[in-house]
Amino acid sequence: MGGKNESSSGTLELFLKIGLDERTAKNTIANNKVTNNLTAVIHEAGVIEGCNRTVGNLLYTVATKYPANALAHRPVLLEYVVSSKIKTPAQLEAAFSFLSNTASESLHLKDFEEACGVGIEVSVEDIEKTVSEIFELNKESILAMRYRTNVGDIFANIRKRLPWADPKIVKQLVDAKMYELLGERTAADNEKPTKQKKEKPAKVEEKKVAVETPLQPSEEELNPFLNFPDPKENFKVHTEVFFSDRPVLRCCNSKETLDKHLMVTGSKVYSRFPPEPNGYLHIGHAKAMFVSFGLARERDGCCYLRFDDTNPEAEKKEYIDHIQEIVSWMGWKPFKITYTSDYFQELYELAVELIRRGHAYVDHQTAEEIKEYREKKMNSPWRDRPISESLRLFDEMKRGLIEEGKATLRMKQDMQSDNFNMYDLIAYRIKFTPHPHAGDKWCIYPSYDYAHCIVDSLENITHSLCTLEFETRRASYYWLLHSLDLYQPYVWEYSRLNVTNTVMSKRKLNFLVTNKHVDGWDDPRLMTLAGLRRRGVTSSAINAFVRGIGITRSDNSMIRMDRLEYHIREELNKTAARAMVVLNPLKVVITNFDSASVMDLEAKKWPDAQTEDSSAFYKVPFSNVVYIEQSDFRMKDAKDYYGLAPGKSVLLRYAFPIKCTDVVLADDNQTIVEIRAEYDPSKKTKPKGVLHWVCEPSPGVEPLKVEVRLFEKLFNSENPAELDDWLADLNPNSKNVVTGAYAVPLLKSAAVGDRFQFERLGYFAVDKDSTPDHLVFNRIVTLRDSYGKVGGK
């Protein structure tokens, strides 16, 4: 612990020496990636004893923004920065752009200096002249807007004319010119512009769900795959691997390797979706599918569905079948379905080659010893054993001559690295367990860290896309491919998808399922794709949600459930037919309607139903016994209450106004047994309140009875995974089963998966538990749209 603190203290001192303020320096140390980059830049620039603040700030920018494909030229740029040939942020940005386009090709210094404005001095007089000209051109608008003028536009115009001008001097002269033209700020200048009040829409008889007018989508929303390079560009440096005892490894494909790869692929995009078949897929996998399958579809390429089946103990055919079914349901068609186990022979042969090259060894440490030695950054006692000995022992491991747990094959990486994922990762373990796909041929199995990158290479993957938690594995990924002289795919990490009020870890999901906290992997309360499908959510709504989030590297990806629900409502509002269901029925007897009569009325399936389209309507019976929601009646009326009350009228949707004339109470003189009412056949009464309802289809016959399951958030907290006792956060009211709901006859023929909007209640889907005599509906979402109203993260 003391060593770590001393290391942090030394790093802090190093960062302060280059002129960073203490707060920025401490924040930088909290980010391992930036810390490693900045430390390397400082050493590479030769300023470990310090430099002035201007140079230091530019070095910090190099550490955070330098293009990864041009790392070979970074030392040259640093010479220009330290010598103050490049001394402004604008020059540095121009350098980044030039070097990014140059990549690993030869650097022509004359062109570089010209592109970056090296040697160009912009005098104060030149800046003053340009500022005056810009102000003269915009004088009328500046006088009108005064201090509400968008000064950013003025700066942009100046930058166009004088890209290498000192920004500090530009700001000083612009501020002075504003003061010269406008004088002191007035109280009016500081007032916020008044917003025009929106006119309130006229009241209508039906409650409407707030619908937000969507903004025009950005270019990235229209095509979120713009960031990804063309396969032909895969000659650039992918990443730098820093070692404690040898030069930096800059990983990239040779021209010969890339040409061979492009010949096989026809220069097309090849991606892969590689789930482990050890559980059901969740909504996070929907994003992974969208990224990998979506890129291939966008670029007219190919995407593998590859089962990462390196652990025979955790995999089941049930999971494999489920994954294939869900991928298809989500709208994706794999180019090929493969298994990592398809490549077990090639992986074994490459492991032998890795040993021959001195990059792997057989180790006899226990799992606990390996953990301890890695934490202490100590080499295994068997790390330097002869290559011939490791080859013999690895062959014995393969032939089953060594007991399980008595040996592993480890990659010989760098135990002193700053990256934990370079501490001699395990490549092979012994497991005397038959494999679900490969049978009993093997008793040694490759690890994810060993197999994943090699199979990517063997399948000629152009874009290996994964979530950010794998970023620290980049070094190991490229080290291994480089060590075996294999083709290297382009690796890019994006933020994983986390949704509020649920858990996404397969381990936690498995615990919930196996311990009966939920009703299986497809419980509608879970964010598994099977659960969402059963709940009634469509794959197109899920894909729209994922597309809306975008493909970014922002690691602050806790998305509110409201945002998903917004996309679900957007689709169901257009596709779900309307119907009426009463969850908690209260009997209303209409005393002035003939008890032997039944009237057929027309109700709309769609809000904009056209009269001439008979399919847009359904028949609903109206008799003298009507059922309304218990919550739609009160004994005492109120000004802001639109339901039924004694002496008050309401409109029954698609039917007639009714007025409460009497209330029948139970013996306790509190419980309401039934309401007596009169209807207005002329419809002259114009009540404000509109209620949904269900009637007896014929005298004395009970309406269609259905079961309705109302789902709420599974967990009370937004991020239960971070709680020590996450199970205690389970919402005991996440599922409410209503067994005695009444429905209109239209729903009698509803089939499993059919979706409806129950008016005033929400969107519902028919559950698989339904039978012809007992329909079960799951609530998909309510009508309320908090994301549409107030926005969502």
Side-chain angles (χ1 to χ4, degrees):
M1 193 75 178
K4 185 177 179 181
N5 288 336
E6 287 170 19
S7 173
S8 296
S9 175
T11 305
L12 178 62
E13 185 181 352
L14 182 65
F15 291 174
L16 293 175
K17 280 182 179 178
I18 66 165
L20 296 189
D21 61 78
E22 189 168 351
R23 183 179 177 185
T24 302
K26 286 182 176 177
N27 287 341
T28 301
I29 291 171
N31 185 318
N32 288 335
K33 182 179 178 182
V34 178
T35 296
N36 291 338
N37 283 348
L38 184 54
T39 303
V41 163
I42 292 169
H43 281 82
E44 211 168 295
V47 292
I48 56 175
E49 296 304 320
C51 61
N52 66 57
R53 187 169 187 173
T54 300
V55 171
N57 286 338
L58 294 176
L59 294 179
Y60 183 86
T61 306
V62 172
T64 54
K65 293 186 177 181
Y66 189 85
N69 67 330
L71 287 168
H73 304 307
R74 191 168 74 181
V76 175
L77 174 63
L78 293 175
E79 285 180 22
Y80 277 79
V81 171
V82 173
S83 63
S84 293
K85 290 180 180 177
I86 288 178
K87 54 190 176 184
T88 68
Q91 285 182 294
L92 194 59
E93 289 294 335
F96 291 163
S97 178
F98 183 90
L99 294 172
S100 178
N101 291 328
T102 304
S104 55
E105 295 174 7
S106 299
L107 180 62
H108 300 290
L109 290 180
K110 185 178 177 183
D111 295 340
F112 173 69
E113 290 182 354
E114 186 178 331
C116 303
V118 172
I120 296 176
E121 295 292 337
V122 182
S123 69
V124 175
E125 289 77 16
D126 289 339
I127 300 173
E128 282 179 335
K129 182 184 175 185
T130 304
V131 169
S132 296
E133 290 173 356
I134 298 292
F135 266 76
E136 191 60 37
L137 284 170
N138 297 279
K139 186 174 181 179
E140 190 177 328
S141 131
I142 295 170
L143 287 171
M145 294 297 293
R146 289 187 56 80
Y147 283 100
R148 289 195 292 273
T149 299
N150 186 346
V151 184
D153 288 343
I154 295 175
F155 285 134
N157 284 324
I158 296 168
R159 272 198 303 273
K160 281 181 185 176
R161 296 193 186 188
L162 302 174
W164 315 124
D166 188 323
K168 290 182 180 177
I169 297 174
V170 172
K171 185 177 186 312
Q172 289 169 4
L173 292 175
V174 168
D175 289 347
K177 198 70 177 175
M178 287 288 284
Y179 184 81
E180 177 188 325
L181 191 61
L182 304 175
E184 295 281 357
R185 280 178 178 269
T186 66
D189 290 325
N190 294 323
E191 286 180 6
K192 292 183 179 178
T194 55
K195 293 182 180 179
Q196 287 188 330
K197 290 186 177 179
K198 293 181 181 178
E199 288 186 15
K200 292 184 178 179
K203 287 186 178 179
V204 292
E205 64 171 31
E206 182 186 10
K207 291 183 182 178
K208 293 281 181 94
V209 177
V211 178
E212 186 182 80
T213 304
L215 297 172
Q216 287 298 313
S218 66
E219 187 179 11
E220 189 169 315
E221 286 174 317
L222 291 172
N223 184 356
F225 306 105
L226 290 172
N227 289 330
F228 301 122
D230 188 274
K232 292 177 183 176
E233 296 177 21
N234 202 3
F235 57 85
K236 300 175 181 178
V237 174
H238 293 102
T239 196
E240 285 184 323
V241 182
F242 294 93
F243 294 97
S244 62
D245 57 352
R246 66 201 102 150
V248 174
L249 172 63
R250 293 184 168 92
C251 304
C252 60
N253 288 310
S254 66
K255 186 177 186 304
E256 182 185 358
T257 301
L258 182 60
D259 287 347
K260 184 180 176 183
H261 159 78
L262 293 173
M263 192 173 293
V264 173
T265 63
S267 301
K268 282 190 171 185
V269 163
Y270 273 63
S271 57
R272 81 288 176 273
F273 172 58
E276 293 179 70
N278 60 357
Y280 277 49
L281 301 185
H282 54 63
I283 197 166
H285 294 103
K287 180 173 181 178
M289 280 186 257
F290 179 83
V291 174
S292 292
F293 281 106
L295 173 63
R297 180 182 287 179
E298 172 67 26
R299 303 278 180 89
D300 193 27
C302 306
C303 183
Y304 287 89
L305 167 58
R306 183 204 305 156
F307 289 102
D308 185 16
D309 58 343
T310 56
N311 183 2
E313 294 171 334
E315 287 134 23
K316 292 181 183 177
K317 189 175 184 305
E318 172 195 351
Y319 300 143
I320 292 172
D321 293 343
H322 156 75
I323 290 169
Q324 289 190 46
E325 180 193 1
I326 285 293
V327 167
S328 175
W329 177 72
M330 286 297 297
W332 306 116
K333 186 175 181 181
F335 158 65
K336 274 184 186 175
I337 297 176
T338 60
Y339 297 76
T340 297
S341 55
D342 293 340
Y343 304 94
F344 276 179
Q345 184 61 40
E346 291 96 325
L347 289 166
Y348 171 75
E349 290 168 3
L350 286 167
V352 171
E353 179 60 25
L354 197 67
I355 298 170
R356 286 198 184 107
R357 295 185 180 199
H359 297 312
Y361 61 97
V362 172
D363 187 25
H364 300 290
Q365 288 183 301
T366 64
E368 292 75 19
E369 287 171 336
I370 291 174
K371 183 172 182 282
E372 179 189 350
Y373 273 55
R374 293 184 82 214
E375 286 172 352
K376 294 178 179 178
K377 300 178 80 166
M378 292 168 54
N379 290 345
S380 162
W382 289 277
R383 192 176 200 264
D384 295 318
R385 74 189 329 161
I387 288 173
S388 58
E389 193 171 290
S390 283
L391 286 169
R392 176 179 59 78
L393 288 166
F394 189 52
D395 179 63
E396 290 178 6
M397 286 170 62
K398 176 181 177 284
R399 291 190 289 133
L401 302 178
I402 300 178
E403 290 179 38
E404 191 168 326
K406 296 294 185 183
T408 58
L409 182 70
R410 292 179 67 183
M411 295 179 265
K412 200 171 186 180
Q413 297 169 303
D414 183 5
M415 289 297 294
Q416 302 306 311
S417 171
D418 291 332
N419 185 342
F420 188 76
N421 285 301
M422 287 293 287
Y423 292 177
D424 290 12
L425 298 177
I426 291 173
Y428 269 87
R429 292 183 177 88
I430 300 169
K431 284 183 186 288
F432 291 103
T433 305
H435 192 280
H437 187 67
D440 58 1
K441 179 180 177 182
W442 298 91
C443 64
I444 54 170
Y445 293 102
S447 67
Y448 169 87
D449 291 295
Y450 173 76
H452 182 68
C453 55
I454 293 177
V455 177
D456 273 356
S457 183
L458 294 176
E459 290 187 338
N460 277 293
I461 299 303
T462 59
H463 296 73
S464 180
L465 309 173
C466 53
T467 47
L468 274 170
E469 65 263 34
F470 292 98
E471 186 174 23
T472 55
R473 285 181 154 95
R474 251 200 212 202
S476 171
Y477 184 105
Y478 283 121
W479 171 87
L480 182 53
L481 295 180
H482 175 83
S483 298
L484 289 168
D485 294 322
L486 295 175
Y487 157 77
Q488 300 172 20
Y490 168 78
V491 173
W492 197 80
E493 302 88 3
Y494 53 88
S495 59
R496 65 179 295 160
L497 172 56
N498 293 305
V499 179
T500 57
N501 303 95
T502 191
V503 291
M504 307 285 273
S505 148
K506 277 189 183 177
R507 182 180 60 81
K508 286 184 168 68
L509 287 170
N510 190 49
F511 188 91
L512 290 173
V513 172
T514 54
N515 290 278
K516 310 294 184 185
H517 293 289
V518 292
D519 305 322
W521 284 100
D522 65 348
D523 187 302
R525 292 167 291 179
L526 292 176
M527 284 290 110
T528 58
L529 294 174
L532 288 166
R533 178 173 62 173
R534 182 175 178 184
R535 186 163 179 156
V537 179
T538 63
S539 58
S540 50
I542 296 170
N543 282 327
F545 164 65
V546 172
R547 176 180 279 273
I549 292 164
I551 308 170
T552 69
R553 286 176 56 81
S554 168
D555 200 18
N556 188 21
S557 227
M558 181 63 71
I559 308 298
R560 289 184 57 80
M561 183 83 75
D562 299 343
R563 189 162 178 175
L564 171 60
E565 292 177 348
Y566 168 79
H567 288 280
I568 296 169
R569 288 188 191 92
E570 280 286 286
E571 178 167 317
L572 293 178
N573 186 46
K574 301 168 188 171
T575 59
R578 275 55 172 172
M580 292 193 290
V581 172
V582 174
L583 297 182
N584 299 293
L586 175 60
K587 187 176 182 181
V588 179
V589 177
I590 301 175
T591 56
N592 64 335
F593 189 88
D594 183 3
S595 61
S597 297
V598 176
M599 185 186 301
D600 275 341
L601 303 176
E602 282 198 330
K604 292 181 178 181
K605 290 182 182 178
W606 314 101
D608 54 355
Q610 301 299 310
T611 309
E612 62 273 12
D613 182 8
S614 60
S615 67
F617 295 84
Y618 68 94
K619 298 292 184 184
V620 56
F622 182 77
S623 64
N624 79 316
V625 177
V626 176
Y627 292 91
I628 64 171
E629 294 286 356
Q630 292 177 15
S631 58
D632 280 336
F633 181 80
R634 289 183 187 175
M635 289 299 290
K636 288 186 179 180
D637 197 7
K639 187 177 180 181
D640 59 347
Y641 174 62
Y642 294 95
L644 191 61
K648 185 179 180 180
S649 295
V650 294
L651 177 65
L652 296 181
R653 182 87 161 126
Y654 310 118
F656 305 95
I658 63 169
K659 181 178 181 179
C660 175
T661 56
D662 193 14
V663 180
V664 179
L665 300 176
D667 293 339
D668 61 9
N669 213 32
Q670 288 185 337
T671 306
I672 300 169
V673 175
E674 70 179 47
I675 306 297
R676 303 285 169 84
E678 293 181 353
Y679 87 114
D680 174 10
S682 67
K683 300 186 180 180
K684 289 181 179 178
T685 311
K686 302 295 181 185
K688 291 182 179 179
V690 182
L691 307 184
H692 64 283
W693 53 279
V694 174
C695 254
E696 286 186 353
S698 56
V701 176
E702 186 181 37
L704 175 65
K705 185 179 280 190
V706 298
E707 179 181 318
V708 179
R709 297 170 181 173
L710 306 174
F711 299 109
E712 299 291 345
K713 294 177 176 68
L714 185 58
F715 290 88
N716 292 313
S717 300
E718 286 203 344
N719 191 4
E722 69 181 6
L723 302 176
D724 291 335
D725 190 0
W726 60 280
L727 286 173
D729 192 55
L730 279 165
N731 177 9
N733 302 311
S734 61
K735 180 180 178 181
N736 177 26
V737 179
V738 179
T739 56
Y742 284 153
V744 291
L746 168 74
L747 296 179
K748 186 171 179 61
S749 59
V752 173
D754 286 352
R755 301 172 185 88
F756 301 89
Q757 185 197 103
F758 292 173
E759 299 207 37
R760 298 179 67 229
L761 297 177
Y763 295 97
F764 294 78
V766 182
D767 187 74
K768 68 177 187 179
D769 287 345
S770 296
T771 66
D773 300 321
H774 181 71
L775 284 171
V776 178
F777 291 89
N778 295 325
R779 183 168 68 191
I780 309 169
V781 284
T782 62
L783 293 177
R784 184 183 67 256
D785 186 356
S786 56
Y787 174 69
K789 289 177 184 175
V790 299
K793 183 179 171 184

